[in-house]
Amino acid sequence: MTTADTDLSPEAAKAEALHQSALEALSRKEIETAREGFAKALEQFEVLGDDIGVAMTSHNLGLTCQEAGELDEARAWLEKSLAISEREDLDGGMTVTCHQLGVVAQLAEDNDTAMEWYIRALALEEKSGNVAGEAKTSHQLGIVSHLRGDLEAAKAWYARSIDCFAKVGDEHSVANTQKLLDFVTDYQRQGSHEGHAGPCGRPQ
């Protein structure tokens, strides 16, 4: 939201407060409290005709459903958010939601669809110069490429991710992605690691 808090109407301030409270509940993993809070905030934003608020809250309802393991519901909320961002030409909203749709597809083990969403998110990140986002999406593209059996692509994506993380000074993520790149390199050099299913790690 771009309006200063002091300029908000009482109704808009209430919607913002409900949304913030739900975000805090989600950060504490209080899923049902977060769900209820976002639903109330969404209702307020819809009454106000605040499309940005609706898009933002729908995205966060998608995150909430994802945390609950409700992947179909998560996808539906994220697609609603994306549709509004596309209609309103909100590059930031499109970027984060495309990435999150990739995460949901990856969690559902639909790696081809995950790849498509991540590629779309990456194009938006490149367009806006979002190096931190490019780093995270490239990391996920590395994992998905590995899971699809394309090890050369996985190495290239991991290397790109490491470079981007280094540019933004995120040494912790550099180290984590380097481990995955080293794993793929060793895997190719030594052959399949018997009993090891491949790279681990929750989508970012």
Side-chain angles (χ1 to χ4, degrees):
M1 306 296 288
T2 58
T3 305
D5 289 345
T6 54
D7 295 333
L8 291 177
S9 68
E11 294 80 7
K14 179 180 178 181
E16 291 279 7
L18 286 166
H19 184 267
Q20 183 60 37
S21 179
L23 278 176
E24 292 169 2
L26 182 58
S27 72
R28 297 190 299 268
K29 307 297 183 183
E30 297 172 1
I31 301 302
E32 291 310 314
T33 300
R35 194 197 308 268
E36 292 173 7
F38 285 133
K40 291 177 181 177
L42 180 64
E43 183 178 0
Q44 290 290 320
F45 284 128
E46 288 176 334
V47 169
L48 291 165
D50 184 341
D51 287 337
I52 297 176
V54 172
M56 173 179 64
T57 309
S58 296
H59 179 97
N60 286 321
L61 276 164
L63 290 180
T64 303
C65 291
Q66 177 188 311
E67 285 292 328
E70 301 163 357
L71 299 183
D72 288 341
E73 291 85 351
R75 185 183 307 110
W77 281 116
L78 291 168
E79 287 175 348
K80 176 177 179 176
S81 177
L82 180 60
I84 296 169
S85 292
E86 289 174 332
R87 186 180 72 231
E88 300 298 322
D89 198 25
L90 305 173
D91 282 351
M94 287 188 282
T95 301
V96 296
T97 305
C98 285
H99 181 97
Q100 207 61 40
L101 280 162
V103 170
V104 169
Q106 189 176 342
L107 290 171
E109 300 183 351
D110 184 353
N111 292 316
D112 290 344
T113 299
M115 177 74 71
E116 293 172 4
W117 282 117
Y118 287 139
I119 290 292
R120 185 172 173 188
L122 185 65
L124 290 163
E125 287 155 355
E126 290 173 327
K127 175 183 174 183
S128 64
N130 181 358
V131 179
E134 184 181 341
K136 291 180 179 181
T137 302
S138 296
H139 177 97
Q140 294 308 129
L141 281 162
I143 292 177
V144 172
S145 295
H146 191 170
L147 293 171
R148 296 170 81 211
D150 190 344
L151 302 188
E152 289 301 322
K155 290 196 300 182
W157 286 120
Y158 287 144
R160 178 171 176 173
S161 176
I162 290 167
D163 182 60
C164 290
F165 278 130
K167 286 179 180 176
V168 298
D170 187 346
E171 295 303 323
H172 177 73
S173 294
V174 166
N176 284 343
T177 308
Q178 184 66 54
K179 289 178 183 177
L180 293 177
L181 176 56
D182 291 344
F183 177 88
V184 175
T185 302
D186 290 344
Y187 187 96
Q188 285 185 306
R189 183 183 300 119
Q190 300 174 13
S192 174
H193 296 180
E194 184 177 355
H196 197 298
C200 303
R202 185 176 178 81
Q204 297 188 30

